[in-house]
């Protein structure tokens, strides 16, 4: 188990190094930073001095090493657009994105798993058929369209929920939360549904097909033959066996939720990192873009690590390599 | 020993409605099992033997259904009980053992937890009592250092050991009857005998009756008190095991006996029954066995024989018919 974690950590470090290299390459291959800084009439010897001071003419490995060391200390340079430190810009906006993503993921799980279980247990009921049909719409409609539809219905026609922004926030140290104020909670409903709807339908369909498959297995038949109650068979024995694939997909999708919050944040003017990223693209603000890239890479690596460890919790068959007779 | 009827199956018919018409998997099967008795049920794959067992424990998978007939346990009808009533009988009154021990146990739970869960479902016990009982059960089925192994997961046991755990699970609530569906087919030959011996011993000790479904005549000869031979969804012959083996009346049973290898007859070729069992959607008119029967005559091709007395057994064959043909 510990050897496994160490192995995964080494892998994660390698992946992060690769991501960092791509992100580092953006600086080098998209324009010359010195040309961005100096004016047209800057003397040539000053330019040379500046190049020396910034170290841009150092060999590539040296520059990359410097980039990695700085990145690990949270130094990602200054934004070309606002001249603020990029690390702080991201940190300011990260809570908004993380809260939105988390609420969206919880919404998707809390609704998707029970719906999937129901549809798997009673595949022929009219409710299951309806859920399957509606979920097709959820899968095929693009996110921005769902967002705009929701805004139109709940903000424009009914006027009960705000259509943009985060509402009031409360600060705890560096973390600002909107989950503790009424306006903040109201504001998160629409974007969270928009962001979570696709995941919800995906999880529902996954749980349904896994349930249907598990219910056909011998151990479910044997559990019934032992006279266990329906509840014990369905939720104790069947659902737990569907969890491994569900955890995998949910984990990957959580990464996707954070990464692709860009669209939802734009539709709802949600002040998160996604919106920041889009604004930076418009201004070719490379430090922000490359930092965003590193951050998303980091999020995926961390989630994958957690998912791999959750497998061990769920499935005992993975735990016991090298042990002969069980027991804890 | 064979006084009161424990299980009574009367004219059982199991159907599978399909798009191309209804398949009859079990057709007009009647049998009885007395308390403590071991009834062997043999036949080829698809003869309806497993389906009969599955119908008795009430776990036919839809669209399969009991179309007619009845199943009684100690005189009480159990084939038409609602799910939650039947569930109290499964495990408590009728235990089940399935073919493949590797897939019968839930891989995510410790065997002890699965045992305790079953015990607590049926018996009024505290968790600690149930756990003691679980250890005792594992000891009974011959699992060494049961008190430790109770915390193991199924994948930590070998196939034979897992089938022992399955037997412990089937016996957990002291059922009166165990339906054992091919309990040894998936195991190594060397382990098969051990498991059969174990099952036989435990059922004798507990007074449990067994319906032993298998295609292995050797297992039946060794274990069963009576045997039912099934062919194409019907019972071809049923009777005391020695009688059926030594004096088979139905030509199909004779063929089966001829196909068992015996020691000492080196030169003799094993007889085999030509052809194969008809598919469920193409069962011939008259006796289902008539196209393969060496002793077929006109009546077999027209009229379907029912079980009739033949010596100490009953056989559904016109050869043993006392009354003259109607044709």
């Amino acid at each position: 188990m510990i050897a496994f974690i160490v192995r995964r950590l080494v892998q994660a470090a390698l992946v992060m190094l690769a991501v960092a290299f791509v992100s580092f390459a953006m600086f080098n291959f998209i324009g010359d930073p010195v040309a961005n800084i100096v004016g047209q009439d800057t003397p040539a010897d000053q330019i040379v001095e500046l190049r020396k001071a910034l170290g841009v003419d150092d060999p590539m490995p040296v520059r990359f090493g410097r980039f990695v060391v700085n990145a690990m200390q949270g130094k990602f340079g200054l934004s070309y657009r606002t001249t603020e430190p990029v690390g702080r810009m991201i940190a300011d906006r990260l809570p908004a994105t993380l809260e939105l993503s988390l609420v969206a993921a919880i919404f998707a799980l809390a609704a998707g798993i029970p719906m999937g279980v129901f549809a798997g247990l009673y595949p022929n009921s009219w409710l299951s058929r309806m859920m399957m049909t509606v979920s097709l719409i959820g899968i095929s409609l693009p996110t921005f369209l769902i967002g705009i539809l929701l805004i139109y219905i709940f903000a424009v026609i009914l006027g009960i929920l705000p259509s943009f922004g985060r509402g009031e926030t409360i600060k705890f140290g560096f973390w600002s939360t909107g989950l503790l104020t009424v306006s903040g909670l109201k504001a998160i409903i629409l974007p969270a549904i928009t962001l979570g709807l696709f995941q919800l339908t995906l999880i529902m369909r996954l749980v349904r097909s896994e349930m249907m498959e598990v219910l056909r297995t011998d151990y479910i038949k044997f559990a019934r033959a032992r006279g266990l109650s329906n509840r014990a068979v369905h939720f104790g024995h069947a659902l737990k066996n569907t969890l491994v694939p569900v955890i995998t997909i949910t984990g990957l999708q959580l990464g996707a939720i954070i990464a692709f919050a860009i669209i939802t944040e734009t539709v709802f003017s949600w002040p998160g990192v996604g919106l920041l990223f889009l604004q930076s693209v418009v201004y070719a603000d490379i430090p922000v873009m490359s930092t965003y890239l590193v951050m998303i890479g980091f999020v995926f690596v961390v989630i994958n690590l957690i998912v791999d460890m959750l497998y061990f919790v769920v499935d005992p068959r993975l735990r016991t390599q090298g042990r002969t007779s069980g027991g804890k | 020993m064979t006084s009161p009827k424990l299980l009574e199956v009367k004219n059982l018919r199991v159907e599978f409605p399909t798009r191309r018409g209804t398949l009859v998997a079990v057709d007009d099967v009647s049998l009885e099992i007395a308390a403590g008795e071991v009834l062997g049920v043999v036949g080829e794959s698809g003869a309806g033997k497993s389906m009969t067992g599955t119908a008795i424990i009430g776990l036919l998978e839809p669209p399969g259904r009991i179309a007619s007939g009845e199943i009684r346990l100690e005189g009480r009808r159990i084939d038409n009980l609602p799910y939650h009533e039947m569930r109290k009988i499964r495990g408590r009154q009728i235990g089940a053992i399935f073919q493949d021990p590797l897939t019968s146990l839930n891989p995510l739970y410790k065997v002890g937890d699965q045992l305790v869960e079953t015990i607590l479902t049926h018996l009024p016990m505290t968790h600690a009592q149930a756990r003691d009982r679980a250890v005792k059960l594992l000891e009974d089925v011959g699992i060494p250092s049961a008190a430790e192994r109770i915390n193991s997961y199924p994948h930590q046991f070998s196939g034979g050991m897992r089938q022992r755990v399955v037997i412990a699970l089937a016996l957990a609530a002291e059922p009166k009857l165990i339906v054992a569906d091919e309990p040894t087919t998936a195991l190594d030959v060397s382990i098969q005998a051990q498991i059969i011996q174990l099952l036989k011993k435990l059922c004798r000790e507990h007074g449990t009756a067994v319906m032993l479904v298998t295609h292995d005549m050797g297992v039946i000869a060794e274990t069963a008190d009576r045997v039912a031979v099934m062919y194409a969804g019907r019972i071809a012959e049923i009777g005391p095991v020695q009688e059926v083996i030594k004096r088979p009346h139905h030509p199909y049973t004779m063929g089966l006996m001829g196909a068992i290898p015996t020691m000492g007859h080196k030169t003799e070729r094993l007889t085999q029954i030509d052809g194969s069992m008809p598919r469920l959607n193409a069962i011939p008119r008259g006796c289902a066995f008539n196209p393969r029967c060496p002793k077929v005559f006109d009546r077999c091709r027209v009229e379907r024989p029912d079980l009739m007395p033949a010596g100490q057994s009953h056989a559904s064959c016109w050869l043993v018919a006392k009354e003259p043909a109607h044709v």
Side-chain angles (χ1 to χ4, degrees), chain A residues 151-184:
Chain A
I151 289 179
Y152 183 67
I153 296 171
F154 291 98
V156 178
I157 297 185
L158 299 175
I160 46 177
L161 293 171
S163 64
F164 67 91
R166 227 187 143 192
E168 281 176 66
T169 56
I170 298 173
K171 271 193 103 72
F172 290 102
F174 70 94
W175 190 275
S176 69
T177 176
L179 296 179
L180 295 174
T181 62
V182 177
S183 70

Side-chain angles (χ1 to χ4, degrees), chain B residues 100-122:
Chain B
D100 192 348
L102 301 184
T103 56
S104 288
L105 300 169
N106 190 329
L108 302 188
Y109 290 97
K110 294 172 185 167
V111 296
D113 292 344
Q114 301 192 43
L115 273 162
V116 168
E117 181 184 32
T118 314
I119 295 165
L120 288 180
T121 304
H122 297 293

Side-chain angles (χ1 to χ4, degrees), chain A residues 218-219 221-222 224-230 232 236-237 240-241 314-317 319-320 324-327, chain B residues 59 83 87 90-91 96 98 103-109 114 117-118 121-122 149 151-153 155-156 166 169:
Chain A
D218 284 353
Y219 55 80
K221 193 179 169 197
F222 189 57
R224 289 194 199 284
R226 286 191 275 144
L228 303 184
S229 66
N230 262 336
H237 287 268
K240 194 170 177 190
N241 274 285
V314 172
D315 197 333
R317 281 167 291 188
R319 261 179 253 159
T320 42
T324 45
S325 66
Chain B
L59 286 179
Y83 184 88
R87 154 179 113 63
R90 281 198 288 268
F98 294 135
T103 56
S104 288
L105 300 169
N106 190 329
L108 302 188
Y109 290 97
Q114 301 192 43
E117 181 184 32
T118 314
T121 304
H122 297 293
R149 297 292 272 167
N151 287 319
S152 299
Y153 288 94
H155 69 275
Q156 294 165 317
V166 170
L169 276 163

Side-chain angles (χ1 to χ4, degrees), chain A residues 14-328:
Chain A
L14 285 177
V15 171
M16 280 317 295
L17 220 56
V19 172
F21 184 76
V22 172
S23 148
F24 163 76
M26 282 172 73
F27 282 100
N28 288 272
F29 302 121
I30 307 175
D32 178 3
V34 175
N36 283 328
I37 297 169
V38 297
Q40 275 191 338
D41 47 358
T42 315
D45 55 334
Q46 267 191 33
I47 293 181
V48 171
E49 224 167 89
L50 189 60
R51 293 189 84 88
K52 205 174 261 175
L54 288 176
V56 280
D57 292 331
D58 291 345
M60 222 252 291
V62 175
R63 280 180 290 144
F64 181 54
R66 199 154 52 215
F67 176 82
V68 171
V69 169
N70 283 338
M72 286 200 295
Q73 295 167 332
K75 289 186 207 152
F76 293 95
L78 300 180
S79 160
Y80 292 169
R81 182 165 61 97
T82 64
T83 65
E84 278 179 80
V86 176
R88 211 178 64 219
M89 284 171 79
I90 298 253
D92 279 349
R93 285 157 170 264
L94 200 55
T97 296
L98 288 184
E99 271 180 12
L100 176 61
S101 306
L102 211 66
V103 172
I106 290 170
F107 162 69
L109 284 174
I113 290 180
M115 283 164 81
V117 169
F118 181 86
L121 288 178
Y122 311 103
N124 294 321
S125 87
W126 65 269
L127 192 59
S128 304
R129 288 172 198 273
M130 199 183 76
M131 286 194 295
M132 291 305 285
T133 313
V134 173
S135 75
L136 261 187
I137 301 174
I139 281 186
S140 42
L141 276 188
T143 316
F144 67 87
L145 195 64
I146 293 172
I148 290 168
L149 272 175
L150 287 177
I151 289 179
Y152 183 67
I153 296 171
F154 291 98
V156 178
I157 297 185
L158 299 175
I160 46 177
L161 293 171
S163 64
F164 67 91
R166 227 187 143 192
E168 281 176 66
T169 56
I170 298 173
K171 271 193 103 72
F172 290 102
F174 70 94
W175 190 275
S176 69
T177 176
L179 296 179
L180 295 174
T181 62
V182 177
S183 70
L185 284 175
K186 267 182 155 178
I188 208 169
I189 294 176
L190 291 187
I193 290 178
T194 307
L195 190 55
L197 203 60
F198 176 79
Q199 324 297 337
L200 184 156
T201 52
L202 195 74
I203 289 170
M204 185 195 110
R205 285 175 161 262
L206 181 73
V207 171
R208 171 182 175 272
S209 63
E210 288 293 324
M211 264 313 254
M212 289 173 77
E213 193 160 324
V214 169
L215 285 175
R216 275 196 294 266
T217 58
D218 284 353
Y219 55 80
I220 293 300
K221 193 179 169 197
F222 189 57
R224 289 194 199 284
R226 286 191 275 144
L228 303 184
S229 66
N230 262 336
R231 212 182 50 172
V233 172
H234 294 159
F235 294 97
H237 287 268
L239 185 59
K240 194 170 177 190
N241 274 285
T242 67
L243 283 185
V244 166
V246 172
I247 288 174
T248 314
I249 297 294
T250 310
L252 291 178
Q253 289 300 318
L254 185 63
I257 284 180
I258 296 172
F260 301 128
I262 293 176
I263 296 168
T264 309
E265 288 184 4
T266 310
V267 172
F268 288 91
S269 307
W270 188 264
V273 279
L275 193 60
L276 175 70
F277 177 76
L278 267 197
Q279 289 162 352
S280 307
V281 169
V282 173
Y283 288 92
D285 197 345
I286 291 171
V288 176
M289 282 152 71
S290 73
T291 310
Y292 182 79
L293 188 68
V294 171
M295 185 198 83
I296 293 298
F298 183 70
V299 165
F300 269 94
V301 164
V302 168
I303 287 175
N304 270 324
L305 204 62
I306 294 172
V307 164
D308 282 343
M309 286 196 264
L310 275 180
Y311 287 166
F312 279 85
V313 177
V314 172
D315 197 333
R317 281 167 291 188
L318 298 171
R319 261 179 253 159
T320 42
Q321 285 160 346
R323 248 196 285 175
T324 45
S325 66
K328 273 186 181 173

